[in-house]
């Protein structure tokens, strides 16, 4: 069994209004910075998972992301192995 | 009649609900700890407002996994009346006992004020003695009350008359100007398909005594007392 680090990024689904992202974009725009078409805010989680293989760790992280870390009505997620 | 009021770490309207049930209505009330696996004979369960688990991760997301919530789910599956107020509503959504989810208020502000909600249906235990169309003045206090659901879910809520409370003007007109948080379809409260589980963002327990300036919320508690009494006859 070894330790694996998995990074989970949770973001709002496309089409779900992100008032925080809009507010952040508004500030960036107000600073005179140009070219920012859109800002969407999300959450990042770093998980350290003990498992036989990296694929098993990734699968465990995906299960946690699906059941706990994200709300499937609003959000979607991506899990990736860091180490 | 016995009300069970669940206390999660971070609940802060638990005693307000207890006070209304016990001292304003004169009914029996017991506190239920989130780690309990027993509703102690409650006839109705209240999930009170507050910040369960500090609102960490998402509002209600961690409370969903409290042992007591399995008991609440079993109780509701048998038809037991359950009401989630504010954070309690958020918990019911996270649990899937009610449809949809909450987003941050469209204004990005915590909104704490009296609002007007129109009662849309009397076919829930918590609105059983309220004439549909009646407007109640009840306070809200939340940051995440911007109700969101997929378009087909909102359509089903509308078609099945499961929107229980809608934000309106004092005269009962639906108008975005009177929607305090951007909620879809002006949703202030909904119920499940079986109609025994209700979630609402406004706090009826904060508006159940003349001393607090408004008693419009009391009828929600009185409704469920009458509904339970009626079902036992």
């Amino acid at each position: 069994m070894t330790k694996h680090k998995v990074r989970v990024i949770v973001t709002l689904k496309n089409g779900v209004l992100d008032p925080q992202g809009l507010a952040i974009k508004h500030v960036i725009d107000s600073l005179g910075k140009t070219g920012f078409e859109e800002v969407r805010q999300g959450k990042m989680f770093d998980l350290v998972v003990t498992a036989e293989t990296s694929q098993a760790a990734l699968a465990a992280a995906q299960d946690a992301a699906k059941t706990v870390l994200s709300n499937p009505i609003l959000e979607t997620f991506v899990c990736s192995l860091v180490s | 009649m016995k009300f069970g009021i669940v206390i999660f770490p971070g609940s802060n309207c638990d005693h307000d609900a207890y006070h209304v049930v016990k001292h304003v209505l004169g009914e029996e009330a017991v506190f239920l700890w989130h780690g309990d696996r027993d509703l102690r004979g409650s006839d109705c369960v209240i999930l009170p407002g507050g910040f369960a688990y500090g609102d960490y991760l998402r509002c209600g997301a961690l409370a969903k996994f409290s042992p007591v919530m399995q008991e609440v789910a079993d109780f509701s599956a048998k038809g037991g009346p359950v009401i989630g107020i504010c954070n309690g509503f958020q918990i019911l959504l996270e649990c899937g006992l009610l449809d949809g989810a909450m987003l941050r208020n469209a204004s990005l502000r915590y909104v704490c004020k009296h609002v007007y909600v129109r009662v849309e249906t009397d076919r829930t235990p918590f609105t059983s003695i309220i004439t549909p169309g009646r407007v109640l003045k009840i306070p809200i206090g939340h940051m995440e009350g911007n109700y969101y659901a997929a378009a087909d879910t909102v359509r089903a809520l509308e078609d099945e008359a499961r929107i229980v409370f809608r934000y309106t003007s004092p005269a009962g007109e639906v108008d975005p100007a009177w929607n305090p948080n951007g909620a879809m379809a002006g949703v202030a409260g909904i119920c499940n398909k079986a109609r025994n589980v209700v979630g609402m963002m406004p706090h009826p327990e904060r508006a159940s005594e003349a001393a607090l300036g408004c008693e419009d919320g009391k009828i929600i508690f009185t409704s469920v007392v009458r509904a339970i009494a009626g079902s036992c006859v």
Side-chain angles (χ1 to χ4, degrees):
Chain A
M1 299 283 266
T2 48
K3 287 183 180 175
H4 306 270
K5 190 169 168 186
V6 182
R7 180 160 285 180
V8 182
I9 294 179
V10 176
T11 49
L12 287 170
K13 285 180 178 172
N14 285 335
V16 175
L17 179 73
D18 178 8
Q20 295 177 97
L22 289 175
I24 295 162
K25 180 182 180 304
H26 178 73
V27 168
I28 293 172
D29 292 344
S30 71
L31 292 173
K33 300 181 192 296
T34 56
F36 290 83
E37 296 292 333
E38 191 176 26
V39 177
R40 302 280 284 172
Q41 182 173 321
K43 294 172 190 159
M44 192 193 80
F45 304 86
D46 279 337
L47 312 178
V48 177
V49 185
T50 301
E52 291 282 356
T53 64
S54 59
Q55 284 313 303
L58 192 58
Q62 277 167 337
D63 177 59
K66 191 175 170 187
T67 54
V68 182
L69 302 181
S70 70
N71 178 330
I73 295 169
L74 297 175
E75 296 167 327
T76 182
F77 63 86
V78 178
C79 298
S80 52
L81 272 169
V82 177
S83 62
Chain B
M1 169 171 175
K2 188 193 272 187
F3 285 80
I5 298 153
V6 178
I7 306 177
F8 297 94
S11 294
N12 66 10
C13 300
D14 40 356
H15 280 266
D16 304 54
Y18 184 95
H19 170 72
V20 169
V21 168
K22 182 109 173 178
H23 302 118
V24 179
L25 267 63
E27 300 290 335
E28 200 178 341
V30 288
F31 285 124
L32 305 169
W33 183 236
H34 74 114
D36 288 353
R37 294 181 184 277
D38 178 6
L39 301 181
R40 296 169 59 191
S42 300
D43 301 301
C44 172
V45 172
I46 301 177
L47 303 183
F51 300 86
Y53 291 89
D55 278 354
Y56 293 172
L57 188 59
R58 297 179 305 279
C59 303
L62 300 181
K64 168 186 176 179
F65 298 102
S66 286
V68 77
M69 287 312 297
Q70 185 57 55
E71 303 305 316
V72 172
D74 292 347
F75 176 75
S76 70
K78 288 182 222 148
V82 176
I83 188 165
I85 299 167
C86 194
N87 188 224
F89 185 12
Q90 294 165 340
I91 294 168
L92 290 172
L93 292 169
E94 280 286 340
C95 288
L97 290 176
L98 292 175
D99 295 331
M102 286 296 176
L103 288 168
R104 195 66 61 104
N105 292 344
S107 64
L108 286 177
R109 289 172 193 272
Y110 186 96
V111 181
C112 184
K113 64 177 184 184
H114 278 83
V115 298
Y116 298 91
V117 294
R118 192 176 69 200
V119 178
E120 302 289 82
T121 173
D122 57 1
R123 292 194 297 123
T124 83
F126 300 95
T127 54
S128 61
I129 59 168
I130 312 177
T131 307
R134 181 170 165 191
V135 177
L136 304 176
K137 182 185 174 191
I138 305 181
I140 54 168
H142 61 248
M143 184 79 191
E144 279 92 5
N146 182 353
Y147 181 81
Y148 173 86
D152 54 341
T153 304
V154 175
R155 204 173 311 122
L157 290 173
E158 295 272 17
D159 291 348
E160 296 162 16
R162 291 200 281 129
I163 297 176
V164 182
F165 303 102
R166 218 187 286 263
Y167 299 112
T168 64
S169 71
E173 299 146 333
V174 175
D175 180 337
W178 292 94
N179 180 335
N181 50 33
M184 271 187 173
V187 165
I190 58 171
C191 67
N192 62 343
K193 275 185 192 288
R195 312 193 75 83
N196 60 313
V197 179
V198 169
M200 64 186 299
M201 288 314 291
H203 285 270
E205 80 285 8
R206 295 184 188 171
S208 291
E209 286 173 282
L212 296 177
C214 183
E215 293 180 277
D216 282 7
K218 186 179 167 186
I219 197 165
I220 289 164
F221 299 101
T222 313
S223 284
V224 72
V225 171
R226 295 273 187 88
I228 293 275
S231 68
C232 292
V233 169

